Amino acid sequence: MTYKDVCKDEEIWFTLSNKLKDGRLFLKWAKDLGCVWINGEEIDPSKGTDFFTLSIHSDGTLANVPAMALASKQFEGVKRVRFKDYYKALKKK
């Protein structure tokens, strides 16, 4: 599976339940999909994340989503997914 299988032609925001545990798992999963940080840096899952929401873009770039963006009408159309539920569903396949 690659980021293209996940995103197709859209951006998806993934919400984490726990920044520490889910954050590292999410970052490892995103790296395994072939994603890189939006600035081109390689993802290091051991660093974890300080954000509860991260986006994967259709080009495979990963970005943190600031809390202000979550409530902005500008981003109402962005697909949002709870990572924990999404990951569990993948593992059942």
Side-chain angles (χ1 to χ4, degrees):
M1 174 178 259
T2 70
Y3 63 84
K4 291 181 186 223
D5 298 319
V6 174
C7 296
K8 312 270 186 287
D9 291 329
E10 64 183 334
E11 173 182 358
I12 300 176
W13 288 5
F14 289 90
T15 303
L16 308 177
S17 301
N18 176 306
K19 289 188 295 186
L20 184 60
K21 185 179 175 186
D22 288 350
R24 288 190 177 129
L25 178 62
F26 175 83
L27 293 175
K28 180 184 180 329
W29 176 74
K31 182 177 180 175
D32 291 346
L33 291 176
C35 294
V36 296
W37 285 109
I38 200 159
N39 65 0
E41 282 185 34
E42 183 178 335
I43 297 169
D44 180 356
S46 68
K47 290 184 178 180
T49 180
D50 291 329
F51 286 77
F52 279 104
T53 306
L54 295 101
S55 67
I56 296 179
H57 301 255
S58 61
D59 63 357
T61 55
L62 179 70
N64 296 313
V65 178
M68 290 177 10
L70 295 172
S72 173
K73 290 188 181 277
Q74 178 183 356
F75 300 107
E76 283 181 344
V78 176
K79 183 176 181 179
R80 299 167 192 223
V81 176
R82 285 182 43 143
F83 174 67
K84 194 175 216 175
D85 297 339
Y86 186 86
Y87 192 74
K88 277 184 187 179
L90 284 177
K91 291 299 174 188
K92 287 182 180 180
K93 290 183 179 181

